[in-house]
Amino acid sequence: MCREEWAGVNMVLWLFGTALLLTQAAGFYLPGLAPVSFCEPGKDQVPDCKSTIELFVNRLDSVESVLPYEYTAFDFCSEKTLKRPSENLGQVLFGERIEPSPYKFEFKKPAVCQKVCTKTYDTNNPSDKNKLDFLKKGMLLNYQHHWIVDNMPVTWCYDVEDGQKFCNPGFPIGCYVTEAGRSKDACVVNSNFKEQDAFYIFNHVDITISYHIVENEQLGARLVAAKIEPKSYENPSDDTPDCSGGPKFLKNKYEGVYKIPYTYSVNFVEDKKIRWASRWDYILESMPHTNIQWFSIMNSLVIVLFLSGMVAMIMLRTLHKDIARYNQMDSVEDAQEEFGWKLVHGDVFRPPRKGMLLSVFLGSGTQIFIMTFVTLFFACLGFLSPANRGALMTCAVVLWVLLGTPAGYVAARLYKSFGGEKWKTNVLLTAFLCPGVVFADFFVMNLILWGEGSSAAMPFGTLVAILALWFCISVPLTFIGAYFGFKRATLVHPVRTNQIPRQIPEQSFYTRPFPGIIMGGILPFGCIFIQLFFILNSIWSHQMYYMFGFLFLVFIILVITCSEATILLCYFHLCAEDYHWQWRSFLTSGFTAVYFLVYAVHYFFSKLQITGLASTILYFGYTMIMALIFFLFTGTIGFFACFWFVTKIYSVVKVD
């Protein structure tokens, strides 16, 4: 099998072994990446000092399409003799295909208008015409190059409004001028791009590499920035490339032979201010919608914390009065006049309907909750930063595989407390239901990616490897957890359950199940929707996400808010003598996922420029996977919060 197919297994060793070792080594960056020293060619070399700088190319993507493509799909100048760098499972899942490129240069050795290759297309040749049409399609949809030097993105920096400079970790293939003479996308940067109904291709790049001389630690230099400026030149002569002519354009309806020469220039600049450990800062600080959003995010967090404190205070004061009043009822006459939540003490722990399904959901939700917590914890430590490509997804997948045991244990333990006896069905559903739905959706999306020839399409061997991780590791661990869960004694509730169910009185509008469930998801969604904007931007608008510390704080606040909102509504329903709290508590918090789905639809139509049926299906297909995972995650928080609350209040009151 190829290296991609066992990337997930290798990641386990990386995650639990190398991370601890690398944090103890001096001069290592937090993500666990060692700095590389560069020396001038021809001089006395020091150990581990390189003189050749290699430029790698990554996938090409667009904000107008969900489909990423490999670098070679567009018939650019390629280097097929060198071996591709190894990729982890996360990179394969996100369709990142890092390949060597023919752009190579020596450290501190400038180059001017160096020829890379020349591509020739004859529109009368069907093969050439298809390649040229695909290149035009890429320019029309504003597909972006993503190049890498020393594990650092090559950025295209340009001025934006308010005197700010934005550094984009990518640059366009080219751009298009419409028949009406309107410049689209990057064509606005050059007033010479004025040929109507023509594609302007950026076939030349000016690369500027900044370096920092290491003075104290060792000889050599370290690269701290790589910036690029894409340009377009006609270059009529193949022998002597000329980078001073007019722009290179392709007429949309022209038939004949096209020659596209590719050239580059490189320059080196010493920068004494930027240190190697902070070389990503200039990219992250210029990302849009970050600085201007900090105040609104903090304001939202303060509001959520204030509301959470109010909910907690109301619950504590009200419950304290109720419990004190109930415990003072000593006479039979007082007991006969019971009211509120104490009336249903004989039914509150009655097994819910569809207890099998609820226990399965709670088992999968527990698995997702622990996976999310541990992944965010590692991300806060810096191991899953943008510098470590694919590490975040790899960590999440590996943790999910290894957390089958708590999923099986929780599902079996709760199912047994519900009085269930079909333990085989329970463990099989826990191992296959929710993961099977996610995999089926993912497989259908992968078929679409295969059909479109996208780099995000996983190879068949990688799919087999993921199935092997699921069936050979996750499923056995789920069975082990379920075994111990069923072996444990049944949960002992603080009150006995009556044999005959109590009749539930007529409920008001606010205490009916559906209105309560709808209201329950508003507050949790309110504390995440701003952060959700950044997350969706990182996924669909290809922007880097690096605020993991803040995301971890929002995660904690989400858990608290889901718990308190569910407990509050649960208390109101019990006071209204409605004891069906199990499913309601799960759905109350889980309904946050519905608001997430609505927001994702709004984001699609208001923020994205995605066109094409395949891209639209892919967007909503992947969004449904995220919504299901979020539903199980938030629903599990709500159930266990309500379970703890109900157990607590009925254990401190006197019940005859």
Side-chain angles (χ1 to χ4, degrees):
M1 287 188 178
C2 65
R3 62 187 180 282
E4 298 170 352
E5 298 170 5
W6 297 108
V9 179
N10 294 332
M11 189 60 188
V12 181
L13 301 176
W14 170 86
L15 186 61
F16 297 105
T18 3
L20 296 176
L21 294 174
L22 290 173
T23 51
Q24 299 174 3
F28 275 77
Y29 191 36
L30 261 182
L33 302 172
V36 178
S37 296
F38 290 89
C39 301
E40 293 185 56
K43 292 192 175 182
D44 294 336
Q45 297 289 319
V46 296
D48 300 324
C49 192
K50 300 172 63 176
S51 60
T52 301
I53 299 176
E54 294 182 281
L55 190 148
F56 292 93
V57 291
N58 202 344
R59 68 174 185 175
L60 287 88
D61 53 38
S62 168
V63 295
E64 299 181 28
S65 175
V66 177
L67 304 168
Y69 289 100
E70 292 190 46
Y71 177 81
T72 53
F74 287 96
D75 193 41
F76 296 124
C77 301
S78 59
E79 182 67 63
K80 299 180 180 179
T81 57
L82 296 179
K83 185 179 179 182
R84 288 172 57 174
S86 60
E87 297 161 351
N88 57 44
L89 184 60
Q91 288 176 284
V92 177
L93 289 173
F94 275 111
E96 294 196 19
R97 298 289 190 270
I98 299 177
E99 302 175 0
S101 78
Y103 297 85
K104 294 180 179 61
F105 25 84
E106 301 294 325
F107 178 67
K108 293 186 72 174
K109 186 178 179 182
V112 179
C113 203
Q114 293 293 311
K115 179 182 176 182
V116 184
C117 75
T118 300
K119 293 290 183 177
T120 304
Y121 303 96
D122 185 355
T123 57
N124 296 318
N125 185 324
S127 177
D128 288 353
K129 189 176 186 305
N130 291 336
K131 292 178 182 178
L132 192 61
D133 289 343
F134 193 67
L135 186 63
K136 291 178 180 178
K137 177 184 175 183
M139 289 186 278
L140 188 63
L141 294 177
N142 195 27
Y143 268 83
Q144 306 269 319
H145 284 283
H146 293 282
W147 291 3
I148 301 167
V149 168
D150 190 30
N151 197 49
M152 180 176 51
V154 180
T155 57
W156 177 34
C157 297
Y158 51 88
D159 295 328
V160 291
E161 57 186 13
D162 299 329
Q164 303 267 335
K165 185 173 284 291
F166 173 56
C167 290
N168 183 10
F171 66 95
I173 299 174
C175 55
Y176 176 62
V177 177
T178 64
E179 294 183 5
R182 186 173 64 88
S183 299
K184 291 188 60 180
D185 303 318
C187 279
V188 299
V189 302
N190 194 328
S191 59
N192 293 325
F193 294 173
K194 53 189 177 182
E195 185 73 24
Q196 296 180 357
D197 194 22
F199 293 90
Y200 287 86
I201 185 165
F202 293 120
N203 59 336
H204 174 85
V205 288
D206 286 335
I207 305 172
T208 302
I209 296 180
S210 303
Y211 62 92
H212 171 75
I213 299 292
V214 181
E215 299 174 354
N216 300 325
E217 299 178 25
Q218 65 187 68
L219 296 176
R222 292 173 182 170
L223 307 187
V224 294
K227 299 180 181 179
I228 199 168
E229 187 176 352
K231 295 181 178 179
S232 179
Y233 292 122
E234 181 64 31
N235 268 334
S237 174
D238 289 341
D239 299 328
T240 56
D242 179 18
C243 297
S244 60
K248 179 69 176 179
F249 63 87
L250 314 175
K251 291 294 290 184
N252 189 22
K253 299 176 182 177
Y254 174 80
E255 293 187 359
V257 178
Y258 273 122
K259 284 188 176 182
I260 304 178
Y262 290 91
T263 56
Y264 74 92
S265 299
V266 62
N267 189 31
F268 292 87
V269 178
E270 182 178 0
D271 193 323
K272 298 181 180 180
K273 297 180 181 179
I274 303 177
R275 300 293 175 180
W276 186 86
S278 58
R279 61 181 186 163
W280 283 70
D281 290 357
Y282 83 97
I283 304 174
L284 302 179
E285 289 171 0
S286 72
M287 297 300 291
H289 310 302
T290 52
N291 297 331
I292 60 175
Q293 292 289 341
W294 275 109
F295 176 77
S296 60
I297 292 175
M298 293 303 297
N299 185 53
S300 176
L301 288 175
V302 170
I303 293 174
V304 169
L305 287 172
F306 174 75
L307 291 175
S308 300
M310 291 294 294
V311 169
M313 185 176 66
I314 292 171
M315 292 301 302
L316 289 174
R317 292 188 62 185
T318 307
L319 275 175
H320 185 268
K321 290 180 180 179
D322 284 353
I323 292 171
R325 183 172 69 250
Y326 284 143
N327 286 339
Q328 290 173 358
M329 295 179 181
D330 296 328
S331 63
V332 176
E333 290 78 8
D334 289 337
Q336 291 175 349
E337 295 177 1
E338 289 179 357
F339 60 92
W341 54 270
K342 192 180 178 184
L343 273 175
V344 296
H345 66 82
D347 298 276
V348 73
F349 290 105
R350 188 175 301 282
R353 299 172 184 171
K354 308 292 183 182
M356 171 81 79
L357 184 62
L358 179 60
S359 65
V360 170
F361 282 173
L362 291 170
S364 297
T366 303
Q367 188 178 14
I368 294 168
F369 176 83
I370 301 174
M371 176 197 74
T372 306
F373 177 83
V374 176
T375 302
L376 289 179
F377 179 75
F378 273 107
C380 288
L381 294 180
F383 295 115
L384 311 179
S385 76
N388 215 340
R389 295 174 180 82
L392 185 72
M393 178 60 73
T394 307
C395 178
V397 172
V398 171
L399 284 172
W400 178 84
V401 170
L402 298 177
L403 288 170
T405 301
Y409 179 84
V410 169
R413 194 102 164 84
L414 289 173
Y415 181 63
K416 187 175 181 180
S417 71
F418 294 158
E421 297 178 352
K422 299 179 180 178
W423 64 271
K424 293 180 181 178
T425 306
N426 179 262
V427 68
L428 287 173
L429 286 176
T430 305
F432 294 108
L433 179 61
C434 295
V437 172
V438 171
F439 184 82
D441 190 330
F442 180 78
F443 183 74
V444 172
M445 297 302 104
N446 204 58
L447 288 177
I448 297 175
L449 291 170
W450 271 340
E452 296 291 331
S454 171
S455 68
M458 291 184 61
F460 179 76
T462 308
L463 282 175
V464 173
I466 290 179
L467 286 174
L469 290 173
W470 178 17
F471 283 92
C472 299
I473 299 178
S474 180
V475 172
L477 290 175
T478 305
F479 274 78
I480 293 172
Y483 171 79
F484 286 106
F486 280 113
K487 291 288 287 183
R488 291 289 301 274
T490 307
L491 291 172
V492 179
H493 301 303
V495 291
R496 294 192 302 269
T497 302
N498 296 333
Q499 293 184 350
I500 302 175
R502 181 185 181 86
Q503 186 175 0
I504 299 174
E506 184 70 22
Q507 299 292 304
S508 65
F509 175 79
Y510 298 103
T511 56
R512 289 176 183 172
F514 195 63
I517 290 171
I518 293 177
M519 291 186 293
I522 295 177
L523 190 59
F525 179 76
C527 77
I528 65 165
F529 81 95
I530 294 179
Q531 199 69 16
L532 196 61
F533 173 79
F534 292 109
I535 295 173
L536 292 177
N537 262 358
S538 69
I539 296 174
W540 303 114
S541 296
H542 314 296
Q543 296 179 9
M544 292 184 185
Y545 188 90
Y546 63 98
M547 299 180 291
F548 293 111
F550 197 83
L551 182 60
F552 188 74
L553 177 61
V554 172
F555 168 80
I556 299 298
I557 294 175
L558 174 63
V559 173
I560 296 172
T561 311
C562 282
S563 302
E564 291 180 345
T566 308
I567 288 173
L568 183 63
L569 290 170
C570 181
Y571 173 72
F572 290 154
H573 287 111
L574 291 176
C575 289
E577 301 177 25
D578 186 351
Y579 50 83
H580 294 309
W581 61 270
Q582 291 97 335
W583 269 110
R584 186 180 291 121
S585 63
F586 184 87
L587 295 175
T588 297
S589 287
F591 203 80
T592 310
V594 177
Y595 290 107
F596 162 76
L597 198 58
V598 173
Y599 181 81
V601 174
H602 165 74
Y603 180 84
F604 177 82
F605 288 105
S606 64
K607 303 295 181 183
L608 296 181
Q609 304 169 347
I610 291 177
T611 57
L613 179 62
S615 294
T616 303
I617 294 174
L618 287 168
Y619 176 87
F620 287 104
Y622 286 126
T623 299
M624 291 304 296
I625 293 178
M626 291 188 284
L628 174 61
I629 292 173
F630 197 64
F631 170 71
L632 297 172
F633 166 72
T634 52
T636 300
I637 295 171
F639 174 87
F640 281 111
C642 199
F643 180 79
W644 170 84
F645 170 74
V646 171
T647 304
K648 199 73 175 175
I649 63 174
Y650 283 99
S651 63
V652 295
V653 297
K654 298 176 183 177
V655 179
D656 296 332

